[in-house]
């Protein structure tokens, strides 16, 4: 028959064993739930589309683009004006030698000259100025697009930081749970004193990791909100990092602002060809006037005209230059389209590899690591393992989950790059970001 002391000791061990089993079951709890930050004024998590829309509407470069568009409008108006007329006055046959030593034989001529510019030249200039305006508009959209893509990158970083908070908090929970058992064993002289010190160090490191993760998440939220001049008064759903559904659908290719700008540049270069071509045709200048003869007080009308000869300068060099520029712009578009298709295909392959890695970590690595933690804790409670085994098993589990977060973040970063290439978020560009 067992003594009361032995039965009490066995009861204590069973209680400790039950506590460790319950703690082990907590390991399997999804850590996303623990990544939620302190509730803020915005209850609905900020979505990627909303973040990009806010950044697009608050793009600070819109003001400069609007001023450039105003300058382009002025350029269009100026391109359509006719050449100014010329008024001239000539005096002849005075202050010379006899019989022209005075003003008695002087002749005075008043003329009015007008260059008769061809209508096709004005039309060509107006067309080129209008094409330049469209280029300004396209470049403005590209700058807004860049701000929106920056918002997408920061949003992904911030969401990943929220997920990292969950990993850090789970590390702290595991460290505190093992610390309680190690402290109990140290108090019972079953483990050396330095085991408790190491356990204290692990808890302190885990707390620092939580603080650092939370600080990083706050900083990234502030950086994101700075794009629209707001504060970090919003929440982010760390579970958004889990979304790999983009692999199930082919990207819907749309004209991106970058390619729009290339096409606008090509149209501007083509319009400039017409301007330079019309300049090779010379415009005549007609004049009319009246001449006064002081000697006898008589007067007479005169008319005249002139036109430059294309003997040396027929503007061929400028025509060749603009044609080459237009051809270069067309080549840029072709290369951009080709590279876009190539890069989208390569990005899809990388996304697939990352998604598969994340899936395998979740299905193969994390369950085994959780099982190892549970088994080591059980053995540690029975005295079969050391505190180093417990800490090592916990570190393996945390490293696996941290690696999964890192892989999912890389997937989302890769997807963001593919979204930009495909023009996924082009419809979110504000239509009123520039003047009509």
């Amino acid at each position: 028959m067992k003594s009361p002391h032995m039965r009490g000791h066995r009861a204590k061990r069973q209680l400790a064993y039950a506590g460790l089993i319950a703690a082990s079951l907590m390991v399997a709890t999804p850590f996303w739930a623990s990544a939620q930050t302190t509730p803020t004024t915005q209850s609905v998590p900020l979505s990627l589309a909303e973040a990009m829309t806010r950044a697009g509407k608050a793009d600070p470069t819109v003001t400069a683009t609007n001023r450039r568009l105003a300058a382009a409008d002025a350029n269009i108006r100026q391109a359509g004006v006719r050449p100014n007329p010329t008024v001239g006055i000539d005096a002849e046959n005075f202050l010379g030698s006899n019989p022209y030593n005075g003003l008695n034989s002087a002749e005075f001529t008043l003329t009015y000259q007008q260059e008769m510019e061809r209508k096709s030249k004005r039309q060509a200039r107006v067309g080129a100025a209008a094409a330049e305006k469209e280029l300004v508009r396209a470049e403005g959209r590209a700058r807004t697009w860049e701000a929106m893509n920056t918002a997408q990158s920061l949003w992904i970083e911030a969401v990943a930081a929220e997920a990292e908070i969950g990993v850090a908090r789970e590390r702290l929970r595991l460290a505190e749970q093992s610390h309680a058992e190690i402290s109990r064993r140290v108090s019972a002289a079953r483990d050396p004193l330095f085991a408790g010190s190491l356990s204290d160090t692990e808890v302190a490191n885990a707390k620092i990791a939580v603080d650092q993760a939370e600080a990083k998440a706050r900083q990234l939220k502030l950086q994101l909100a700075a794009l629209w001049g707001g504060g970090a008064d919003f929440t982010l759903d760390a579970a958004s990092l889990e979304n790999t559904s983009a692999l199930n659908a082919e990207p819907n290719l749309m004209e991106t602002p970058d390619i729009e700008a290339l096409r606008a540049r090509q149209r501007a270069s083509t319009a400039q060809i017409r301007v330079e071509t019309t300049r090779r045709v010379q415009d005549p200048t007609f004049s009319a006037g009246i001449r006064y003869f002081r000697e006898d007080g008589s007067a007479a009308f005169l008319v005249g005209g002139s036109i430059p000869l294309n003997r040396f300068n027929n503007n061929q060099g400028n025509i060749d230059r603009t044609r080459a520029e237009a051809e270069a712009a067309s080549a840029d578009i072709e290369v951009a389209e080709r590279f876009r298709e190539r890069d989208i295909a390569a990005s899809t392959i990388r996304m697939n590899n990352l998604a598969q890695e994340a899936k395998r970590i979740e299905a193969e690595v994390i369950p085994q690591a959780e099982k190892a933690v549970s088994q080591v804790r059980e053995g540690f409670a029975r005295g079969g393992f050391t505190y180093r085994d417990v800490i090592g098993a916990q570190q393996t589990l945390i490293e696996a989950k941290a690696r999964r977060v890192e892989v999912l973040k890389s997937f989302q970063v890769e997807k963001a790059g593919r979204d930009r290439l495909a023009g996924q978020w082009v419809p979110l560009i504000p239509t009123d970001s520039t003047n009509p």
Side-chain angles (χ1 to χ4, degrees):
M1 184 174 184
K2 296 183 179 180
S3 66
H5 175 74
M6 293 181 61
R7 287 197 301 269
H9 181 68
R10 181 179 180 184
K12 289 181 180 178
R13 291 191 61 183
Q14 289 177 340
L15 181 61
Y17 179 78
L20 286 172
I21 293 295
S24 300
L25 293 175
M26 292 178 64
V27 174
T29 303
F31 64 89
W32 301 121
S34 64
Q36 301 300 320
T37 57
T38 303
T40 61
T41 57
Q42 179 175 312
S43 58
V44 178
L46 180 71
S47 66
L48 173 58
E50 177 63 20
M52 295 182 71
T53 299
R54 291 185 185 184
K57 289 181 177 180
D59 178 25
T61 68
V62 170
T63 300
T65 298
N66 285 336
R67 299 318 304 156
R68 290 188 179 96
L69 287 172
D73 287 331
N75 191 38
I76 292 173
R77 294 195 303 271
Q78 184 62 33
V81 300
R82 299 171 181 269
N84 286 324
T86 302
V87 175
I89 184 169
D90 295 320
E92 304 176 55
N93 303 332
F94 67 98
L95 299 180
S97 58
N98 289 330
Y100 305 107
N101 59 353
L103 295 176
N104 292 332
S105 299
E107 298 177 8
F108 300 96
T109 305
L110 178 66
T111 58
Y112 177 92
Q113 294 181 336
Q114 176 65 60
E115 180 183 353
M116 306 302 293
E117 184 184 53
R118 301 172 189 273
K119 183 179 180 181
S120 59
K121 288 190 174 183
R122 293 192 297 276
Q123 291 175 337
R125 289 199 305 269
V126 170
E132 287 291 337
K133 178 181 178 180
E134 291 307 310
L135 175 59
V136 169
R137 190 192 307 278
E139 289 175 342
R141 281 172 56 84
R143 285 189 290 270
T144 300
W145 175 243
E146 184 66 30
M148 294 172 64
N149 280 282
T150 300
Q152 183 178 18
S153 297
L154 285 174
W155 184 87
I156 292 171
E157 292 282 347
V159 169
E162 293 292 324
E164 290 168 359
I165 293 175
V167 175
R169 288 178 177 172
E170 182 167 1
R171 175 187 173 184
L172 177 59
R173 283 199 306 273
L174 293 175
E176 289 175 340
Q177 290 163 9
S178 62
H179 178 268
E181 177 60 19
I182 292 172
S183 297
R184 184 187 64 80
R185 290 174 61 89
V186 170
S187 299
R190 298 177 62 187
D191 279 324
L193 291 176
F194 68 83
S197 299
L198 289 177
S199 179
D200 292 338
T201 302
E202 176 63 20
V203 171
N205 284 332
K207 289 180 178 179
I208 292 174
V210 170
D211 293 340
Q212 291 295 314
E214 291 176 346
K216 178 182 177 182
R218 286 194 299 270
Q219 179 61 33
L220 286 169
K221 287 171 69 175
L222 287 172
Q223 286 182 251
L224 177 60
L227 292 176
W228 57 80
D233 55 343
F234 56 87
T235 60
L236 293 171
D237 186 5
S240 301
L241 206 66
E242 299 269 1
N243 186 4
T244 60
S245 61
L247 282 175
N248 301 326
E250 288 293 326
N252 182 25
L253 298 184
M254 299 186 66
E255 189 94 324
T256 66
D258 297 329
I259 294 180
E260 287 177 8
L262 290 176
R263 294 194 189 281
R265 187 173 298 280
Q266 192 269 342
R267 289 191 294 268
S269 298
T270 301
Q272 199 62 35
I273 294 176
R274 186 183 177 195
V275 172
E276 299 299 339
T277 302
T278 58
R279 285 177 178 171
R280 72 186 305 172
V281 179
Q282 303 299 330
D283 297 319
T285 300
F286 295 101
S287 63
I290 185 171
R291 178 168 294 175
Y292 172 70
F293 299 89
R294 182 177 175 80
E295 185 174 8
D296 57 6
S298 59
F301 288 101
L302 63 125
V303 295
S306 64
I307 186 170
L309 299 177
N310 285 342
R311 183 178 179 183
F312 302 111
N313 181 10
N314 61 0
N315 208 38
Q316 188 61 46
N318 286 330
I319 294 173
D320 293 341
R321 172 181 57 80
T322 53
R323 284 177 177 169
E325 290 173 349
E327 291 170 359
S330 298
D332 287 340
I333 295 171
E334 182 179 353
V335 170
E337 290 285 9
R338 186 182 305 171
F339 282 4
R340 178 164 82 148
E341 294 177 1
R342 180 201 65 184
D343 292 344
I344 287 176
S347 182
T348 300
I349 293 174
R350 290 192 293 268
M351 287 170 59
N352 182 68
N353 292 338
L354 291 167
Q356 290 300 320
E357 181 180 356
K359 184 177 181 181
R360 293 191 64 181
I361 292 174
E362 182 183 21
E364 301 174 22
V365 179
I366 292 178
Q368 291 299 322
E370 291 174 341
K371 183 178 179 182
V373 169
S374 178
Q375 291 173 338
V376 169
R377 279 173 170 260
E378 292 173 9
F380 181 69
R382 295 192 300 268
F385 294 104
T386 67
Y387 60 93
R388 293 185 182 276
D389 296 324
V390 175
I391 294 176
Q394 292 176 170
Q395 287 178 341
T396 299
L397 174 60
I398 294 303
E399 287 172 0
K401 292 194 173 184
R403 173 59 185 169
R404 183 168 181 270
V405 170
E406 181 182 351
V407 171
L408 288 172
K409 174 185 173 181
S410 298
F411 174 90
Q412 297 299 338
V413 170
E414 196 67 50
K415 176 181 176 296
R418 193 181 75 167
D419 287 347
R420 174 167 186 165
L421 291 169
Q424 175 73 24
W425 303 104
V426 167
L428 295 183
I429 299 178
T431 55
D432 59 345
S433 61
T434 57
N435 285 335

